[in-house]
Amino acid sequence: MSGFSAEWLALRERYDLAARNPTVLDTVADAFLDHPSIAVVDLACGTGSTLRAIGPHLPPRQSWRLVDNDLSLLARASALGRPPHLAVNAKPVDLVRDLELALAGPLDLVTTSALLDLVSPEWLDRLIVEAAARQLPVYAALSYDGRALTEPGGVFDVELVAGFNRHQRTDKGFGPALGPMAAARAVERFEHFGYSVVQGPSDWVFGPDDRDIQETLFAGWAELGLLTTTMTADEIARWLAQRRAYLAQGRSSLRIGHVDVFARPIATR
């Protein structure tokens, strides 16, 4: 269940790719160095960006099960170009109801990107229990951690970021979401269930030339601010106008905090 539009996924993909933590990704790659092939399931795959991002770091023979409940996104994912040794099966699955189905069959690795901050503590535990029962490593990238730094700073930045963070804790279809606490909770729970964990920051970093994605984020914060803060509509409109002015002047920069996690069973198969 990606919950994102194809347009948003396309806009963010190159920033996601640049943000992925290289130490965590190297650890994923090293875990499979001696494997001639690998079978991967990608949960909430969207249009297949995780495959595109990490496929070059994995063994040459790859079988991917791409799972999402959005049929239009799955259609885009299934249309991916096929290198000679890449097999892709795009599978519609409701991860709330049928997580176990998504993980069924022979697998070597579970991946997901930008998902854990959308799920509930209960669903996260369910994922970890199911992965642990199968002795499967899990690579969970790009979980939002609540940090957002704007330059130049402005009046009401803090209030609107706080409002966005409150919204991140609301139900996204999996129950009340972990939001900014997702990565820390995931590390704690994986370790509890007998995993070793490598983690690292994977922040989005937007400079003055990255106007479209900053505009999209600022507009989203403003829209949510009406629901999640005590600010008036006029105050929010003035804030958004100022942020847009910084963008037009080529002065706006933005850092959004994310965390990557790779969890591997200590008793590996």
Side-chain angles (χ1 to χ4, degrees):
M1 181 179 299
S2 68
F4 299 130
S5 70
E7 293 74 21
W8 168 244
L9 294 175
L11 178 61
R12 66 177 286 172
E13 182 165 349
R14 69 184 179 99
Y15 301 107
D16 286 346
L17 181 61
R20 286 178 185 269
N21 185 279
T23 299
V24 177
L25 185 52
D26 285 348
T27 305
V28 176
D30 289 347
F32 297 98
L33 275 178
D34 60 347
H35 289 228
S37 63
I38 187 171
V40 185
V41 61
D42 187 36
L43 306 179
C45 67
T47 62
S49 64
T50 300
L51 187 162
R52 290 188 288 273
I54 75 169
H57 300 269
L58 297 176
R61 291 186 178 275
Q62 300 175 24
S63 173
W64 283 75
R65 183 186 306 157
L66 302 182
V67 172
D68 207 292
N69 73 337
D70 188 315
L71 295 180
S72 66
L73 297 181
L74 277 178
R76 293 170 184 255
S78 64
L80 291 169
R82 298 287 190 273
H85 302 302
L86 173 64
V88 175
N89 175 26
K91 188 177 183 65
V93 175
D94 181 341
L95 290 175
V96 177
R97 186 186 63 200
D98 295 322
L99 173 62
E100 296 77 10
L101 176 63
L103 299 176
L107 289 171
D108 301 300
L109 175 66
V110 179
T111 66
T112 191
S113 299
L115 175 67
L116 295 191
D117 47 271
L118 305 180
V119 307
S120 67
E122 294 77 15
W123 191 92
L124 176 62
D125 269 6
R126 185 174 157 206
L127 170 63
I128 296 171
V129 166
E130 292 297 329
R134 296 164 172 79
Q135 287 287 287
L136 288 172
V138 179
Y139 172 51
L142 301 164
S143 296
Y144 174 62
D145 69 359
R147 293 178 294 119
L149 178 64
T150 54
E151 290 290 342
V155 176
F156 298 130
D157 288 353
V158 171
E159 288 87 343
L160 285 163
V161 171
F164 176 74
N165 288 343
R166 280 190 287 273
H167 180 266
Q168 287 297 100
R169 300 294 300 270
T170 61
D171 191 339
K172 305 298 189 299
F174 297 83
L178 284 160
M181 299 304 297
R185 172 79 177 195
V187 170
E188 174 199 340
R189 300 305 288 163
F190 274 118
E191 290 178 343
H192 175 81
F193 283 96
Y195 279 73
S196 63
V197 180
V198 176
Q199 63 177 308
S202 52
D203 295 356
W204 279 342
V205 180
F206 307 129
D209 293 333
D210 302 310
R211 296 185 183 182
D212 289 346
I213 195 162
Q214 290 193 63
E215 161 65 28
T216 300
L217 290 167
F218 292 144
W221 292 358
E223 182 177 356
L224 290 174
L226 292 170
L227 305 173
T228 58
T229 74
T230 59
M231 295 173 61
T232 67
D234 285 346
E235 288 172 331
I236 292 173
R238 288 198 298 272
W239 172 86
L240 185 57
Q242 181 62 76
R243 296 252 56 103
R244 285 172 169 163
Y246 290 146
L247 284 169
Q249 295 160 11
R251 299 175 58 202
S252 182
S253 299
L254 178 62
R255 177 182 286 269
I256 303 290
H258 295 90
V259 179
D260 290 353
V261 171
F262 179 52
R264 192 178 187 189
I266 292 174
T268 56
R269 293 175 295 174

